[in-house]
Amino acid sequence: MKLDDLAGRPLTYAEVGATAGDLPAGYHHLRKSSVIGHGRERFEQAATAGMRWGMLRGAGLKVEATSEVAEVGAEVLVHLGPVVAPCRVVYVVAEADRRGVADGTLPGHAESGEELFLVRHDPQTGEVRAEVVAFSRHATWWSRLGSPLTSLIQRLITDRYLGAL
């Protein structure tokens, strides 16, 4: 699979943007966060890295993207060994104290759903947090068959995302 193959492919789920609010029924839900430092400078550094696919790359995944910095509509191929996960950026968070990117799954991905990678700064406490919010369900026979293993891998990779920044 190549990045050029992704143009025009539809997302594999209907609830586009749902990681920004209430997660939809019928999916596995994931919400996890971790304190990654304190202060405005730390926030800016982590947010900049995150918008350049830093959570993915920092987790040890190979990333190919149609843009160097995350932008709506950018297509992404994420490689975990022989498994390739095609995605598209469905929205970007660009607020003073919150920055992040939400990726939606495309045909060929083992799962169907959306994942938000976010960096948040609390100006009152100075705390900087990395957050992952996702909803997904199995989209292939092999991910359904290997459900216990794919769920374990998702939890492990999520922990690696949070530690990446």
Side-chain angles (χ1 to χ4, degrees):
M1 183 175 305
K2 298 179 203 165
L3 277 174
D4 294 344
D5 298 337
L6 304 181
R9 286 190 182 190
L11 294 166
T12 60
Y13 64 103
E15 302 86 348
V16 177
T19 51
D22 294 331
L23 300 180
Y27 292 87
H28 169 74
H29 297 168
L30 177 111
R31 287 185 187 271
K32 198 157 188 186
S33 71
S34 179
V35 175
I36 60 169
H38 288 81
R40 189 81 202 165
E41 186 176 329
R42 178 69 182 110
F43 168 74
E44 293 295 340
Q45 182 271 332
T48 298
M51 295 305 291
R52 294 179 173 272
W53 321 107
M55 280 192 185
L56 298 168
R57 288 188 170 120
L61 305 175
K62 179 184 172 198
V63 178
E64 297 177 74
T66 57
S67 67
E68 196 172 309
V69 177
E71 60 186 37
V72 174
E75 272 122 11
V76 185
L77 288 174
V78 180
H79 301 263
L80 175 60
V83 177
V84 179
C87 301
R88 179 175 297 125
V89 175
V90 295
Y91 71 90
V92 169
V93 178
E95 299 169 8
D97 294 314
R98 295 174 66 236
R99 292 211 202 113
V101 56
D103 297 336
T105 56
L106 295 171
H109 198 296
E111 300 291 315
S112 176
E114 189 173 290
E115 198 162 30
L116 170 65
F117 305 95
L118 188 71
V119 178
R120 180 186 309 266
H121 175 249
D122 182 332
Q124 292 181 336
T125 66
E127 187 175 84
V128 179
R129 287 188 158 289
E131 300 180 6
V132 177
V133 178
F135 63 89
S136 63
R137 59 182 166 214
H138 302 302
T140 64
W141 66 267
W142 58 267
S143 65
R144 281 188 292 280
L145 183 65
S147 179
L149 181 59
T150 57
S151 294
L152 174 64
I153 290 170
Q154 183 182 32
R155 286 191 306 274
L156 292 173
I157 292 293
T158 298
D159 288 344
R160 289 171 67 176
Y161 290 156
L162 295 174
L165 297 180

